[in-house]
Amino acid sequence: MLKGFSAELQRILIILAICSLIGFFSDNYALWMLIGCAIYILMMLWQMRRLNQWLLRQETDHPPEASGIWGQIFDNIYQLQRDQRGEKDNLQAVINRIQEISSALKDGLIILDARGHLDFWNPAAHRMLALHTKDQGQSVINFIRHPKFVSYFEEGNFEEPLELPSPRFPSRHLQFQITPFGKQERLIVVRDVTQLHNLEKMRQDFVANVSHELRTPLTVINGYVETLADNNSTPSWDKPLQQMQQQAKRMSLLINDLLVLSKLETTEAGHNHKPINIEQLLTIVKSEAEVLSKDKEQQLTLICNNTTKPLLLLGNEKELHSAFSNLVINAIKYTPNEGKVSVLLWQDQKHFYVSVSDNGPGIEAMHIPRLTERFYRVDASRNSSTGGTGLGLAIVKHVLMRHEAELKITSEPGKGSMFICVFPLSH
């Protein structure tokens, strides 16, 4: 660059020297100096015109021949153009690669702009939702009009995916997962979960049908066992008949819990919802559990720290009664004799809480994440000693999910456990 400036400065000095000599001998120095400046300005304008014409040409011509500073300007601009074309080619290669990858995916990908309008989608999304080129720039709600999707999209809480029947093929089920990115843009991953949905439906139907079918033969067996026990005159049969009655009763409880769980999974949330006074419901649950706690000489307490107006929840009273009752009965079962079980109700600005705590043996941290799984037990030997079915916490979890609530569990071995139901006040 300095070399170019030096050459340009030499050119200016040469023009001025020639004009000075002509002006000196012609006795008109000022005029010839003005002519020299005009000549230099015309030269600059000519070079600028060449630069402009070169830049306006669309084809990638080599730069015009020039010396001095203008030659360096042409060369530098040409180098920048080459670098830019290289970067553009690399970027285009990356875009083409991403498009190839997205085209190979079986899951649909949809990119929305900040307004929620369609910006890009892959072939899988086209097949699932019948999107076409003419639809670009349209709102996604125009193509997925299901009320649940509209609510899911507008609320902006995308922590959990949403499963819906396909708007194009009602017999198929799609899962929508929305992820915000960039400047209020969103990525929608659409997955065909028809097979998983059908398998889950088969499992639910199987559990419900088997539970119903087992009820009748179990009732008959239980009736005959009771008859035999009442009319038994052989002492050696007392213990076997007693064990048969216990196991039949336990199987009846298991079938009832399976039916309850099946109903929670298959019926639509919001069924038979009405305002429920939570304090009154907890009082009923406490009075029902007192019989079991007194047999073990335990101290069962209910404390309601709600000092404002009665706390009402719009929900299904039968489901909530089952959830709270399961938590309290579990605490009583797994707490030793003369232990303490406490039920506490309180609230803050956004939530209200129902906690059931005990001073029992506690649970190790490794087991806590799996406690709400069906039939999961910390210690399998406790199954026979407590008479439980292993479905109580699974029922609690499903009931809370149907009321937009969650279950939090804290426990420490030797210091007892606490199960906290967290409900949104807005509900």
Side-chain angles (χ1 to χ4, degrees), residues 121-134:
W121 56 89
N122 68 344
H126 161 71
R127 292 192 299 270
M128 293 177 182
L129 302 173
L131 300 175
H132 300 281
T133 306
K134 64 180 180 179

Side-chain angles (χ1 to χ4, degrees), residues 242-347:
Q242 183 182 6
Q243 290 180 341
M244 292 170 66
Q245 284 182 306
Q246 290 176 346
Q247 296 304 319
K249 181 180 178 181
R250 184 175 158 207
M251 187 174 289
S252 296
L253 292 174
L254 177 60
I255 290 174
N256 290 334
D257 280 353
L258 283 172
L259 290 173
V260 170
L261 195 54
S262 176
K263 185 177 180 181
L264 291 173
E265 291 178 332
T266 55
T267 59
E268 187 73 18
H271 181 64
N272 287 337
H273 276 201
K274 63 180 181 179
I276 302 169
N277 189 316
I278 298 299
E279 186 173 343
Q280 289 182 358
L281 179 59
L282 292 176
T283 303
I284 294 172
V285 171
K286 175 180 177 291
S287 63
E288 292 173 349
E290 279 179 341
V291 176
L292 183 59
S293 65
K294 286 180 179 178
D295 290 341
K296 300 182 71 174
E297 298 181 354
Q298 295 171 340
Q299 182 182 350
L300 176 60
T301 59
L302 170 63
I303 302 174
C304 298
N305 290 335
N306 182 41
T307 57
T308 59
K309 60 183 180 180
L311 186 57
L312 300 178
L313 171 67
L314 186 63
N316 186 301
E317 184 172 5
K318 186 176 180 180
E319 293 179 6
L320 290 171
H321 181 278
S322 174
F324 296 147
S325 180
N326 268 298
L327 290 176
V328 174
I329 291 174
N330 271 356
I332 293 173
K333 284 180 178 179
Y334 295 119
T335 301
N337 293 347
E338 300 181 359
K340 294 182 180 180
V341 177
S342 300
V343 182
L344 180 62
L345 169 66
W346 80 98
Q347 71 178 71

